[in-house]
Amino acid sequence: MNNKIIKVLSPATVANVACGFDVLGFALNDINDELVMRIIPKRGVTIINKDDFNLPVEPKQNVIGISLLALLEEIEDEIGFEVKSTKHIRPGSGIGSSAASAAGAVFGANHLLNNRFTNDDLIRFAMQGEELASGAKHADNIAPCIYGGFTLIRSNDPLDIIPIPAPFLYVTIIHPQIEIKTSDARSVLKRQVLLADAVKQWGNVGGLIAGLMKNDYELISRSLVDNIVEPIRSILIPCFDEVKSKSLAAGALGGGISGSGPSMFMISKDQKMALEIEKIAKKVYEKIGLPCHTYVTNLNKRGVQIQEMNELIQNENALL
Ligand code: HSE
């Protein structure tokens, strides 16, 4: 049995990316959850929370637990995992909190197992966590979390993930301090869409992918439009239209709701613009007295990262 202790840094992600509901996502730098993991000599998962979110520690009720149980089902070894979780990504914020936990845990477990599984296997396991968190097995946060960069989920079943090369982009994340559960934000959506709206939407998805691959910022900008989901979900986010229209007027390439919200993302070509948009958003929320957290960061091209702890250190508590 491997007695390594590892630290996993699992990044926040932006899913949907305006036009790509459930099929597009990208990873963010600077915002990570941390998991300290090791193998234990009995089957099962032990979860220890090192933050104040009070998430359940019963493995079947925790996205880390359920994803690791799915992985354990596919190995015969009499082992399990202990996970100490420190979340910095607030649950219900819209930047892939549950995906960071689920994807980080299975990625870390795979490292401890000397990489027995492929990335797509790991995505399959972590999708169990997403189902627990939101009622739907969407992979648009998990895939970029694991692969880094932009990813296209061409198909969920069978899984078909395509990493998309992208230029360097700056991102402003604007998180008004309300909570929106992904399950609620999914339940308000219409089951059917008009053909005319669908035509515009798949034009934009194709345009966004082409723009990213050609480093064509104008095309990226024209394609960051969502005719189907944003008009419905944006009603749940105070001042969404004002923040978006002021950001676009100031020079953002585009943006929209991050995942199922309430966070918004705005993409810029340079850091100066991304910082300008942060100021604009803060001013809007100050005016209505709603606290708002912001991040200015950029595209994370590496995905989940592992740091190996010194195997000789016996008391891992001293490391936390
Ligand atoms: N595609 C998912 C949704 C992402 O919008 O419901 C949730 O983060």
Side-chain angles (χ1 to χ4, degrees):
M1 197 182 83
N2 174 345
N3 65 352
K4 277 181 191 164
I5 298 170
I6 57 167
K7 187 184 228 180
V8 182
L9 293 177
S10 193
T13 45
V14 171
N16 301 337
V17 200
C19 50
F21 178 71
D22 275 0
V23 302
L24 283 176
F26 64 84
L28 295 167
N29 271 325
D30 304 317
I31 318 167
N32 295 288
D33 277 352
E34 290 176 35
L35 307 169
V36 174
M37 298 183 63
R38 63 175 178 168
I39 290 180
I40 51 174
K42 63 172 176 41
R43 281 192 83 87
V45 182
T46 305
I47 300 161
I48 300 155
N49 289 325
K50 305 292 275 184
D51 52 43
D52 297 330
F53 293 120
N54 281 323
L55 295 172
V57 290
E58 158 59 31
K60 286 192 177 148
Q61 288 168 23
N62 181 300
V63 299
I64 292 175
I66 206 143
S67 306
L68 289 175
L69 289 175
L71 178 149
L72 282 170
E73 262 177 37
E74 297 194 16
I75 63 175
E76 286 179 357
D77 320 33
E78 280 300 307
I79 58 161
F81 298 99
E82 181 193 85
V83 186
K84 292 182 178 170
S85 164
T86 309
K87 288 195 72 62
H88 301 291
I89 309 169
R90 177 171 282 278
S93 56
I95 50 172
S97 179
S98 54
S101 292
V106 294
F107 195 92
N110 197 37
H111 181 89
L112 291 170
L113 295 170
N114 297 322
N115 298 317
R116 282 192 215 178
F117 293 104
T118 65
N119 278 348
D120 285 3
D121 290 330
L122 301 181
I123 291 167
R124 201 162 40 78
F125 302 141
M127 281 167 83
Q128 303 289 334
E130 289 297 53
E131 187 176 33
L132 177 70
S134 72
K137 279 188 180 175
H138 60 90
D140 50 343
N141 293 104
I142 292 165
C145 190
I146 285 183
Y147 278 96
F150 259 89
T151 53
L152 168 68
I153 293 86
R154 195 203 62 81
S155 159
N156 263 330
D157 187 17
L159 206 55
D160 189 1
I161 311 274
I162 298 114
I164 305 293
F168 202 75
L169 294 167
Y170 281 88
V171 186
T172 312
I173 297 291
I174 302 146
H175 178 198
Q177 296 293 291
I178 57 167
E179 186 185 338
I180 296 179
K181 288 204 173 90
T182 300
S183 49
D184 294 339
R186 291 183 84 85
S187 69
V188 297
L189 298 177
K190 292 185 191 148
R191 300 294 113 188
Q192 287 168 340
V193 296
L194 289 176
L195 182 60
D197 288 338
V199 169
K200 285 187 199 158
Q201 198 87 350
W202 57 57
N204 283 321
V205 173
L208 180 54
I209 301 285
L212 291 167
M213 295 185 73
K214 291 166 62 149
N215 293 352
D216 182 339
Y217 290 100
E218 289 302 316
L219 179 55
I220 293 171
S221 177
R222 294 201 295 285
S223 306
L224 283 168
V225 179
D226 174 4
N227 292 293
I228 294 175
V229 176
E230 182 179 294
I232 299 171
R233 283 185 170 170
S234 59
I235 295 161
L236 305 170
I237 305 171
C239 301
F240 175 87
D241 290 337
E242 187 178 350
V243 172
K244 184 174 171 187
S245 58
K246 286 185 170 166
S247 301
L248 294 179
L253 291 174
I257 304 171
S258 175
S260 56
S263 289
M264 287 170 237
F265 74 99
M266 288 291 156
I267 293 182
S268 300
K269 225 168 143 175
D270 58 59
Q271 192 183 30
K272 191 163 163 252
M273 179 57 61
L275 289 166
E276 177 62 28
I277 286 158
E278 179 184 43
K279 265 196 233 153
I280 289 170
K282 278 187 178 293
K283 212 163 148 191
V284 168
Y285 286 108
E286 259 165 38
K287 204 174 58 190
I288 63 159
L290 179 62
C292 160
H293 291 173
T294 51
Y295 306 92
V296 173
T297 181
N298 47 39
L299 192 62
N300 169 341
K301 300 212 171 182
R302 299 187 308 166
V304 181
Q305 294 296 303
I306 306 276
Q307 294 166 359
E308 290 206 2
M309 308 290 218
N310 186 338
E311 288 178 48
L312 297 175
I313 297 177
Q314 292 303 313
N315 179 9
E316 78 274 31
N317 288 326
L319 299 169
L320 295 177

